[in-house]
Amino acid sequence: MLMLLALAMASCKPTESNYRAAYDAAQQKRKASDDANADMSLPAGGLLTIGGPAIKVVNGDSVFVTSERIRFEGGLENEMRKWNVAVAKFKMPTNCAAMTENLFSEGYKSFYVKNTEGAYYVIAGSFDTLEEAALFAHDYASKKNPTAFTGLPGSPVIIEK
């Protein structure tokens, strides 16, 4: 009995060739997965996120784009179109109202919206096409410090409503 137990233990011993075969199989599986997902949008920050903005190339510029259910909450301009350029995200509407007023005094047609999760976005511009929104987002970002985009990934996020 002892002899059978020793034989069983010796036969289960991992070998370098077993490790190599498993490693090669895992590498092939990873490469196949990467090739299959090569045309997908890169999530914000390069990390896999669920429901977060993805980087999309529009007219040669990279912009953050997401699709969310949003509704007008307040501000000086309430003409919300399909593509909305968010420049900040807050938990409290009072912060949005203050920033919206500042943006309006700077000449932006700003307002703020609320998503279904209770987050508030300050919208600096609203557009009919993604191309217009991307151009505006790029222009706006070039005038502001990346730390100015509270709650966002360091630049404006275009929200498709």
Side-chain angles (χ1 to χ4, degrees):
M1 182 66 98
L2 196 54
M3 189 78 135
L4 283 173
L5 184 60
L7 183 61
M9 295 293 279
S11 65
C12 293
K13 188 174 180 182
T15 64
E16 185 177 340
S17 63
N18 289 344
Y19 279 124
R20 172 57 65 189
Y23 176 80
D24 290 340
Q27 290 293 74
Q28 288 176 350
K29 188 175 181 180
R30 175 180 276 174
K31 184 176 179 346
S33 176
D34 289 347
D35 291 344
N37 295 325
D39 62 340
M40 293 177 62
S41 295
L42 178 67
L47 300 174
L48 181 60
T49 60
I50 297 174
I55 294 176
K56 193 169 194 171
V57 177
V58 180
N59 294 332
D61 285 329
S62 296
V63 292
F64 289 101
V65 179
T66 188
S67 181
E68 290 191 37
R69 298 180 95 190
I70 54 175
R71 71 170 192 260
F72 178 81
E73 282 289 310
L76 303 170
E77 177 68 36
N78 66 2
E79 190 175 320
M80 186 170 29
R81 296 190 174 115
K82 182 175 181 174
W83 301 97
N84 300 280
V85 180
V87 295
K89 181 179 178 182
F90 296 102
K91 292 181 180 179
M92 298 181 60
T94 53
N95 295 334
C96 284
M99 186 169 182
T100 297
E101 288 179 29
N102 287 340
L103 287 173
F104 193 80
S105 68
E106 292 176 20
Y108 294 98
K109 294 183 175 183
S110 60
F111 57 94
Y112 60 99
V113 298
K114 183 178 181 181
N115 70 7
T116 56
E117 297 171 1
Y120 295 88
Y121 289 99
V122 176
I123 306 296
S126 191
F127 304 91
D128 293 320
T129 68
L130 177 58
E131 290 75 20
E132 291 173 309
L135 182 62
F136 177 85
H138 178 72
D139 192 46
Y140 185 92
S142 69
K143 297 175 185 174
K144 301 291 181 177
N145 186 327
T147 59
F149 303 104
T150 304
L152 299 178
S155 72
V157 172
I158 301 171
I159 303 172
E160 178 185 18
K161 86 169 187 171

